[in-house]
Structures are given as structure tokens and as C-alpha cells.
Amino acid sequence: MKQKYLSLLFFFFVLILGITTAVSAKQQNGTIFDHFLYLPLVKKPAYILNKNVLLNSSFEGDWYHPGDVPEFQIPEHWEFDYLSDENGDPPLDPDPQNIWQPPEVRVLYQAYLPPHEQDQFIWDGEHTVKVFKGYSAVSFELSQLLLLDPGIYLFEVHVFPDMVAGYVDGHKVYASDPLSAEIRLSANGGDTGWMMPTIGQKNRITYQFNVGQQRWVRVKVEMRGRWALENNGWFLDDWALYTTTQE
């Protein structure tokens, strides 16, 4: 009986040890490998990123004014939409100051940014998209309708939430409430849910989805700032929709 109990104790000790032991971020030859020890060692599934099938994915192409609205400078191949109090879209906050207003959208060439902001906001090519509005809540989306073949896709975007609560000696003071900036990726009937990226820095957001048969799929990125901050801003660049194959 004593030997039986000792065997059981040893089994549970090994089980707990295996579950709670993690081996992560081993760098070999410049490549990061992530894997966890579960009994036995199981490596996370890895995918090879292939072709980027988004059109004008880094906003280096032309742009247009939907509805001839000069405040909307939308990158070609992208569709733009937004929430507005004038259209009856209810705000997320009851304070009347936080009603939705249309943002301004600009496709900016690097020369139109101060030198110290060019690397901060341009991550691929020579352009970035700036979406912004002062003293008003904003909610908008960019989307693209694509004919996709069957397979597993990785939707990847890079964004910089530029949510400024104020300025001190000419320097930005970023909003401290994480709800000041929210983002959601969606495609093929699924989405990431609303996420809170880190304000005041570049963020990488991804969403993986499967297409069972060739079909038209709308990939969409929604972004919002629910408070009427001194500036509700977003910088967007270096987006992609990758076809993938499993290693």
C-alpha cells in the first residue's frame, strides 16, 4: 500500500512539473523558437508566410475622395466607413461631449512629416495613413473585398494609436485609459473581438482564418477612440494578408 501511494505521488509530481515548466524564446542562429514542455515536449504549430494578397497593403498607391469629401483621402482599393452622430449612431459614453464625429484621413508622404516622426510612423515604403480628430470621439473602418482561394490566411496590421490627452512643454501626454484606443480585425464571419493596443507605440495585430472554398471575403479593420481627447489619432502602415502553409 505504501509503495502504491509513493508511486501516485511521484506520478503527480512529474505531471505538475511537466505542465508548469516552460521553455521559451530560445534564440538559435538568429531565429526565435517558442515551445512549451507538457509531457512530452510539444512545439507550437509553425506557419510559413507566403504571398501577401492585399491590394495597396502599405498605402503606396494612389488615393481618392469618397463622395468628393476633401477630408477623406482614402487609399485606393480600400473602402472607408465611419460612425457619426448626424447619422444617428449612438455613442459608447452618455456624455454628450463624446458623440461620434467623422475623422479626417490623410495619406502622408514622408516629406510631410517632421524628420523625427518619419521612422516612427512609416514602416514600409514612403507613405503612412493618418486618421485623426480633435476633441471628438471617432469610430471608423477600412476594408477590402477579395476573391480568396481555399487555405489558411494570416491578416496582419501595424498601427500606432496616437491618443493625446494633452501637451506639456510641447510634448505629448498620451491617454492613460486603455479604452481610449480599441481595434478589431474581422474576416470570413469571424473576428478578434475588440482589443486594446498599447497607446503611444507601434502595435502588431493579427487574425488567422480559414477559407474552405474559393469565395469573396471582406477583410476589415475597425478602430475607435470613445473619448473626446485633445487628439484621437491613428497611424497605419505595413498591412498584409498572407497565404500560409504549415511547416
Side-chain angles (χ1 to χ4, degrees):
M1 183 65 69
K2 183 177 180 180
Q3 184 177 2
K4 180 179 179 181
Y5 285 131
L6 288 175
S7 298
L8 286 172
L9 286 172
F10 178 76
F11 171 80
F12 284 114
F13 171 78
V14 174
L15 179 63
I16 293 171
L17 178 64
I19 293 174
T20 57
T21 301
V23 180
S24 60
K26 279 192 176 180
Q27 188 164 1
Q28 300 176 0
N29 300 324
T31 303
I32 300 297
F33 296 93
D34 292 323
H35 51 279
F36 295 90
L37 185 63
Y38 287 106
L39 285 180
L41 181 66
V42 178
K43 188 176 180 180
K44 293 166 61 177
Y47 292 90
I48 299 173
L49 302 182
N50 299 317
K51 183 180 178 180
N52 177 11
V53 297
L54 276 184
L55 304 176
N56 194 20
S57 59
S58 287
F59 315 119
E60 296 296 303
D62 205 353
W63 46 264
Y64 68 101
H65 293 302
D68 292 326
V69 179
E71 290 81 9
F72 299 155
Q73 197 176 76
I74 308 305
E76 66 175 348
H77 300 300
W78 290 93
E79 297 178 39
F80 172 73
D81 201 2
Y82 61 93
L83 299 183
S84 172
D85 180 67
E86 291 185 359
N87 295 336
D89 298 313
L92 294 176
D93 186 85
D95 188 332
Q97 184 180 7
N98 294 321
I99 61 173
W100 303 121
Q101 296 286 1
E104 295 187 42
V105 186
R106 294 286 182 265
V107 179
L108 296 178
Y109 180 61
Q110 61 184 6
Y112 291 96
L113 291 172
H116 69 278
E117 290 187 352
Q118 292 177 9
D119 289 339
Q120 187 178 21
F121 299 134
I122 297 177
W123 312 308
D124 183 53
E126 299 177 322
H127 294 78
T128 186
V129 172
K130 180 181 180 180
V131 186
F132 62 101
K133 187 72 173 180
Y135 300 103
S136 179
V138 298
S139 181
F140 64 95
E141 65 182 52
L142 287 168
S143 68
Q144 208 171 103
L145 186 63
L146 299 166
L147 182 61
L148 299 182
D149 292 325
I152 298 174
Y153 291 82
L154 182 72
F155 190 19
E156 175 186 76
V157 303
H158 295 92
V159 300
F160 188 113
D162 195 40
M163 273 52 186
V164 179
Y167 293 84
V168 174
D169 297 329
H171 299 286
K172 295 177 181 179
V173 177
Y174 286 111
S176 58
D177 188 338
L179 280 174
S180 299
E182 297 170 272
I183 184 171
R184 178 169 64 182
L185 275 58
S186 61
N188 205 29
D191 61 69
T192 61
W194 284 105
M195 307 171 69
M196 291 175 285
T198 302
I199 296 170
Q201 71 177 48
K202 177 184 176 183
N203 293 256
R204 174 181 178 265
I205 312 294
T206 64
Y207 178 59
Q208 184 175 291
F209 63 94
N210 180 66
V211 176
Q213 59 184 11
Q214 187 183 63
R215 57 175 299 183
W216 289 97
V217 174
R218 182 171 298 279
V219 293
K220 181 167 62 177
V221 184
E222 301 166 89
M223 287 156 279
R224 68 189 184 192
R226 63 174 67 197
W227 318 122
L229 300 174
E230 187 162 340
N231 182 63
N232 268 320
W234 294 81
F235 286 92
L236 322 172
D237 195 16
D238 192 16
W239 291 10
L241 179 64
Y242 292 111
T243 60
T244 69
T245 50
Q246 190 169 355
E247 287 184 337

